[in-house]
Amino acid sequence: MFRHLSSSYWVRLLLLTLLIGMIPVIALGSLSFLRAKQSVQEKVNDSNMQLLQQTQLNVEQVLQLFENLMTQYISTSTVHEALQTPFSPNNFVLLNELVGGLNKIQPYELGIKNVYVASLDNDWVLSNEGYSPLDTSPIRSVIYEYAKSESRSFWNAYVPGSGQEAEADSGGNQVQEAIPAGVHLVKKLPINRTQSTGLIVGEISAAKLEKLVYNEAEERETLILDSEFRPLTSAVGSVLKTTGEWRPAAEMIRGMPEAEKGHFIFKANRETISVNFTKSNYNGWYYLSFASLDDITRDSRSIGWYTLFISLGTFVLILLLAWIGSKRMYMPIRRVLSVAVDHGAAGDPPQHKDELQVIGESIHRLRTSQTHMKDQLRIHSKQLEVFFIRRLLQGEIRPKETKERLAQFGYEQGSAELASDMPETGAAASLFAVMTVQIDSLDYTRYQDRDVDLLMFAIGNITSELIPANRRFEPVVMVDNQVTICRSCEPDGHDFETELYHYAEDVQRSAEQILGLKVSVGISPPYPSIHDSHQAYKQSLDALNYRLRFGEQAILLYTSVSPESRSVAAYPDWLEKELIDSIKTGDKEKARGLLNEFAHKIIADYLSYEDLQMVLTRLLIDLLREGQEGGESATEPLPVLGKPLLDHLQELKTAADIEQWFFAHVVEPMIDTLLHQWENRNKKISERLLDIIHNEYDTNLTVELCASRLNYHPNYVRTVFRKETGSSFSDYLSQYRLSKAKQWLVETDMKIGEIAEKLQYQNSQNFIRYFRKMENTTPGQYREKHRID
């Protein structure tokens, strides 16, 4: 038995069996206990509620009987007559009749303490103690307080000597700290009139109320609260052990104003108390029954212990059955373990490992080895297949080897159909074609040049999914091209080209949707021999070169785009001349428009791709030569080419590519260089003119004289000076002379005529008129205003 304990699997099997057996036992026992506990609580609560309602019935029976006796008494003519009579010694007969009536409404069994009849108009009070004036009566303040009430008949708690019936707590709610001596039944007299001339007050002692709510059971306590939640009976007993413990219950009932009866629990002195309450429809009083929840659940605890003992016995039985059953279920596992591992391991499994884990590891090692061998074979086979197709496209494989490889890589159908050039097979002929896919451009995409290899791999996967396996060989990547050899069992080449065109459309559409790339597809003519794949691959590349004419996302069949004859068109010299002129004038917009026109012109005129390359090469050479003749170096317009010019020209695929490349790498740098040279030259001209003006302003300067000294045409000098300074030559000269005149007027004692002569004015009047026009004052006034003595 202890030997099995060393088996972690057997232990888990035993624990699982115990768990399966114990869950129903624990669940059933817990539910039974909870249900029994709930049932006991419900029965106790129902019993307490019935006793509370019986107590309420007893109390209200006494109250209603007393109220009926009082109503009969005050309805008599004697009371009515007495209220209208001021008492004197002559009224002793009427007084005796009133006293006799009072005695009749106070039977001993009701516990009536006293009855007061008071006349407000005649100022007297009559009670069991006898007659006395109202002003000297000990309850005069109570009578006056009751007289102010709007109610004609009501019950009220009475605390002797308090001067008021209740006090207010911090929340504004009416509470009473002291237990009242009793309750008053107050009725205003006469009962059938709105105007009260007196009232009758009947007092029931608190002792009588205590007797009415007395409970024989110690675990239960009853409390009466009036409509203002003031206690009418004692609130301290076996359950509520201190004063004020009933207040949380009162607050909870206050929060349920619409409830006529109910049940709830609350905490008091670390003890849970169950409360049943009911509200009287007779006078609005609340009857509360308090019981300790621990006492209520005492019986349910015994049920819980009984349930626990039964569950433990059941657990012992389940443990025994689980021990025997798991031992029998474990024996086949040990037999399998002895087969999976060697004998020594079977007897003593490795530590921290159970039997199933050891068996699983052994099987996993076998399956891993098998899978690894299959993966290696598959990987090597796929690599060999791709290597074979690449050699086939490059024309580096012999016909005999082709047949063997096709059979090796699972192209059995193909190997039979390839026998058009293998007479020994006698199989029917089939057609092949090469489909080459190229990415048009990575501009305005999320990819970079380093992503081309991965993109080619992705396009190869797309091609594999779109073209059925029996219609193609394995797609391969050749440099920046994705190449697929397609095949057809039908001898009709036209239908085969249509099928290839549909495949190309699917590849284009999927590449744009999945990868966000625009691709073009070149398709070779159908050919019957698989050994012609090398020539067909070149033809598909040649077809892609004609994207210069058809633009991006083109599907180019070699038979459709390759020109049948080579025609020589005239080179557009006039467009080249206008382009060079626009470069010299620095007009970038015009230069770009001419480049666009030039690109579309040569694409339309030159059908051969080779001729297009020659035209583009000529244009590039002419532009570079023009740059050299303008004083620039041959490499200055091409700052970031990074590789030979012919490689760049071969990468141009559309008219937009031609325009963009020539403008960005040739035309725009040339224009920027020329403009920079012109700006430097113009800046030097303007600076030299400013030096002449500042140094020779007192001579007879003209723009023609300055232009001749600088060896430029006067009109060119005027244009450059205005562009650089924002002012004409004559205006700037006049302003400078005016500034010197103001300086001399303030700083020297030169006469105005001398200043005018020095500044090359013909007479002083012309100088004064010009000075007044510019400064709105005469030279003399200016001197007086700004001269500092």
Side-chain angles (χ1 to χ4, degrees):
M1 180 181 68
F2 294 101
R3 184 184 61 178
H4 291 308
L5 290 177
S6 62
S7 170
S8 59
Y9 173 75
W10 181 81
V11 172
R12 291 203 301 270
L13 183 63
L14 177 61
L15 293 177
L16 176 63
T17 308
L18 290 176
L19 182 64
I20 294 175
M22 286 305 301
I23 288 177
V25 175
I26 295 174
L28 182 61
S30 300
L31 293 176
S32 299
F33 171 70
L34 293 176
R35 181 55 186 165
K37 180 180 178 181
Q38 182 180 3
S39 177
V40 170
Q41 291 180 0
E42 289 176 354
K43 290 180 180 180
V44 172
N45 290 334
D46 292 341
S47 175
N48 289 341
M49 180 61 75
Q50 292 177 3
L51 292 174
L52 183 63
Q53 291 176 345
Q54 182 64 40
T55 299
Q56 177 186 353
L57 182 62
N58 294 338
V59 173
E60 291 183 356
Q61 183 177 4
V62 172
L63 299 180
Q64 289 177 355
L65 178 58
F66 178 51
E67 185 175 4
N68 292 335
L69 293 174
M70 184 181 290
T71 302
Q72 293 176 5
Y73 172 69
I74 61 177
S75 299
T76 60
S77 58
T78 302
V79 175
H80 182 69
E81 180 182 356
L83 291 175
Q84 299 176 1
T85 303
F87 281 119
S88 66
N90 297 327
N91 303 113
F92 67 94
V93 177
L94 181 59
L95 183 61
N96 289 334
E97 292 179 358
L98 286 175
V99 172
L102 288 177
N103 294 330
K104 292 180 180 180
I105 65 174
Q106 299 181 60
Y108 173 79
E109 61 273 9
L110 292 183
I112 305 302
K113 184 176 181 181
N114 208 340
V115 177
Y116 301 91
V117 179
S119 174
L120 301 177
D121 290 345
N122 296 310
D123 192 22
W124 54 263
V125 176
L126 184 64
S127 66
N128 294 345
E129 287 81 7
Y131 164 83
S132 66
L134 180 58
D135 292 338
T136 61
S137 175
I139 66 167
R140 64 182 182 280
S141 59
V142 175
I143 292 176
Y144 286 137
E145 188 70 26
Y146 289 159
K148 297 176 183 178
S149 176
E150 297 179 356
S151 300
R152 302 285 303 173
S153 176
F154 56 90
W155 290 90
N156 193 62
Y158 170 61
V159 180
S162 63
Q164 54 184 3
E165 279 63 43
E167 298 178 355
D169 64 5
S170 60
N173 301 318
Q174 294 295 321
V175 297
Q176 185 165 329
E177 296 297 336
I179 300 300
V183 292
H184 285 169
L185 173 59
V186 182
K187 288 182 177 293
K188 293 185 178 181
L189 304 176
I191 60 175
N192 55 357
R193 294 183 185 180
T194 58
Q195 186 65 31
S196 300
T197 59
L199 52 82
I200 182 171
V201 179
E203 181 178 350
I204 298 179
S205 65
K208 179 61 178 178
L209 293 177
E210 292 286 353
K211 291 180 180 180
L212 293 176
V213 300
Y214 173 71
N215 296 305
E216 296 180 356
E218 295 182 356
E219 68 275 5
R220 184 173 61 254
E221 183 174 346
T222 303
L223 175 67
I224 301 178
L225 302 177
D226 65 4
S227 59
E228 299 298 331
F229 295 94
R230 294 173 294 194
L232 301 179
T233 59
S234 175
V236 178
S238 59
V239 180
L240 300 178
K241 299 178 176 58
T242 59
T243 303
E245 286 188 10
W246 57 271
R247 295 197 184 283
E251 292 299 328
M252 295 180 71
I253 298 174
R254 192 191 300 273
M256 299 181 289
E258 303 298 328
E260 295 294 332
K261 62 180 180 178
H263 169 264
F264 58 87
I265 60 176
F266 72 98
K267 291 284 187 178
N269 290 330
R270 300 180 182 180
E271 185 177 2
T272 304
I273 297 177
S274 174
V275 180
N276 289 282
F277 74 93
T278 178
K279 183 179 180 181
S280 172
N281 294 326
Y282 168 62
N283 53 11
W285 289 0
Y286 291 90
Y287 296 82
L288 286 73
S289 175
F290 297 89
S292 174
L293 193 62
D294 295 335
D295 294 336
I296 295 176
T297 57
R298 186 180 298 112
D299 294 337
S300 61
R301 291 196 203 102
S302 60
I303 297 175
W305 284 110
Y306 179 77
T307 304
L308 178 61
F309 293 146
I310 295 296
S311 300
L312 289 176
T314 307
F315 173 75
V316 173
L317 178 62
I318 292 175
L319 177 61
L320 179 61
L321 295 177
W323 184 283
I324 298 174
S326 59
K327 184 177 179 181
R328 289 182 175 274
M329 294 175 64
Y330 174 68
M331 295 307 298
I333 302 298
R334 291 193 61 83
R335 287 195 292 268
V336 174
L337 180 65
S338 63
V339 176
V341 298
D342 58 84
H343 180 72
D348 296 309
Q351 293 182 353
H352 309 296
K353 292 184 180 180
D354 63 11
E355 291 79 348
L356 289 183
Q357 186 176 359
V358 174
I359 295 171
E361 289 178 354
S362 300
I363 297 175
H364 179 69
R365 283 193 296 269
L366 293 174
R367 293 183 61 87
T368 301
S369 300
Q370 182 181 10
T371 303
H372 180 69
M373 293 179 62
K374 290 182 178 179
D375 292 340
Q376 291 296 323
L377 291 174
R378 189 182 302 110
I379 292 173
H380 290 305
S381 176
K382 185 64 67 177
Q383 292 175 347
L384 290 174
E385 181 181 356
V386 171
F387 180 68
F388 159 70
I389 294 175
R390 286 179 177 172
R391 292 179 60 202
L392 186 65
L393 292 172
Q394 293 172 352
E396 300 175 354
I397 192 167
R398 296 178 181 181
K400 184 178 180 180
E401 184 182 359
T402 301
K403 181 179 178 181
E404 294 175 355
R405 296 301 183 190
L406 291 174
Q408 175 185 352
F409 299 130
Y411 299 115
E412 292 84 0
Q413 181 181 2
S415 62
E417 294 169 348
L418 297 174
S420 58
D421 57 336
M422 302 176 186
E424 66 274 10
T425 61
S430 61
L431 293 177
F432 301 90
V434 176
M435 186 172 71
T436 303
V437 182
Q438 283 185 357
I439 298 173
D440 290 330
S441 176
L442 294 179
D443 296 337
Y444 308 108
T445 66
R446 62 180 183 273
Y447 306 109
Q448 299 178 3
D449 292 339
R450 63 173 181 269
D451 302 325
V452 171
D453 293 337
L454 292 177
L455 293 174
M456 287 292 102
F457 179 76
I459 293 174
N461 291 336
I462 293 174
T463 305
S464 301
E465 294 180 0
L466 295 177
I467 302 178
N470 61 348
R471 288 291 186 267
R472 59 167 174 81
F473 287 7
E474 183 68 21
V476 297
V477 176
M478 304 286 288
V479 192
D480 292 339
N481 308 315
Q482 191 279 315
V483 187
T484 306
I485 300 177
C486 301
R487 60 181 180 173
S488 172
C489 299
E490 303 296 332
D492 189 350
H494 178 71
D495 293 342
F496 187 32
E497 287 187 344
T498 303
E499 183 180 3
L500 292 173
Y501 193 87
H502 291 322
Y503 289 155
E505 287 183 327
D506 294 340
V507 172
Q508 274 189 341
R509 183 167 49 254
S510 298
E512 185 171 11
Q513 292 175 353
I514 299 174
L515 302 176
L517 289 175
K518 294 181 179 180
V519 299
S520 294
V521 184
I523 303 174
S524 71
Y527 55 95
S529 175
I530 190 64
H531 304 296
D532 296 333
S533 299
H534 173 57
Q535 183 64 28
Y537 173 53
K538 290 183 177 180
Q539 290 173 337
S540 66
L541 291 177
D542 291 340
L544 283 170
N545 290 330
Y546 287 92
R547 274 179 293 180
L548 282 169
R549 180 177 296 112
F550 297 99
E552 295 180 345
Q553 283 191 297
I555 299 176
L556 305 168
L557 280 74
Y558 181 81
T559 55
S560 300
V561 300
S562 179
E564 297 179 358
S565 61
R566 185 169 181 175
S567 60
V568 180
Y571 182 79
D573 295 290
W574 72 94
L575 285 176
E576 181 184 288
K577 184 178 182 304
E578 292 183 12
L579 175 61
I580 293 174
D581 291 341
S582 64
I583 293 174
K584 290 181 178 181
T585 57
D587 192 343
K588 292 186 179 181
E589 294 298 328
K590 184 177 180 181
R592 188 164 198 135
L594 290 170
L595 271 176
N596 182 272
E597 184 178 355
F598 187 93
H600 285 86
K601 174 69 176 173
I602 63 175
I603 289 175
D605 292 347
Y606 292 87
L607 301 180
S608 172
Y609 177 75
E610 291 77 10
D611 293 340
L612 283 172
Q613 290 294 315
M614 293 295 295
V615 171
L616 294 176
T617 304
R618 176 178 174 180
L619 175 63
L620 179 61
I621 293 173
D622 291 346
L623 292 177
L624 294 177
R625 183 176 60 250
E626 191 66 33
Q628 288 179 337
E629 292 175 355
E632 305 172 38
S633 66
T635 59
E636 191 173 1
L638 305 171
V640 289
L641 291 181
K643 53 185 174 182
L645 295 177
L646 293 180
D647 292 346
H648 280 283
L649 296 180
Q650 290 177 358
E651 292 177 354
L652 304 179
K653 302 172 183 177
T654 63
D657 290 344
I658 295 173
E659 174 193 340
Q660 177 65 27
W661 188 86
F662 271 92
F663 183 80
H665 297 289
V666 181
V667 174
E668 189 174 29
M670 291 178 65
I671 292 176
D672 292 340
T673 301
L674 290 174
L675 290 176
H676 181 68
Q677 293 176 352
W678 293 339
E679 289 176 358
N680 291 338
R681 185 186 308 157
N682 293 340
K683 186 175 181 181
K684 292 179 180 178
I685 292 173
S686 62
E687 288 177 352
R688 293 181 64 183
L689 282 175
L690 290 173
D691 289 340
I692 293 173
I693 292 173
H694 294 165
N695 296 324
E696 304 177 22
Y697 63 91
D698 54 352
T699 63
N700 188 18
L701 286 178
T702 62
V703 70
E704 289 79 5
L705 179 62
C706 294
S708 63
R709 291 169 62 178
L710 298 176
N711 295 322
Y712 288 102
H713 193 275
N715 291 335
Y716 180 72
V717 172
R718 288 190 185 94
T719 303
V720 171
F721 190 83
R722 181 181 293 275
K723 181 178 180 182
E724 293 296 325
T725 64
S727 176
S728 66
F729 179 85
S730 58
D731 289 343
Y732 187 87
L733 178 60
S734 298
Q735 287 292 334
Y736 189 77
R737 285 174 173 173
L738 178 62
S739 65
K740 298 301 290 185
K742 292 192 290 184
Q743 180 182 355
W744 292 338
L745 287 171
V746 176
E747 298 178 356
T748 69
D749 294 330
M750 293 173 61
K751 295 181 180 180
I752 294 175
E754 293 176 356
I755 294 175
E757 182 180 358
K758 193 171 181 63
L759 295 178
Q760 297 299 314
Y761 284 93
Q762 295 179 358
N763 54 65
S764 59
Q765 295 300 321
N766 290 340
F767 169 67
I768 293 172
R769 279 195 298 271
Y770 179 75
F771 194 94
R772 183 193 298 273
K773 176 182 178 182
M774 300 305 294
E775 298 296 329
N776 199 23
T777 183
T778 64
Q781 293 172 344
Y782 183 86
R783 170 174 281 175
E784 293 177 358
K785 182 177 180 180
H786 295 85
R787 188 77 176 261
I788 301 175
D789 295 333

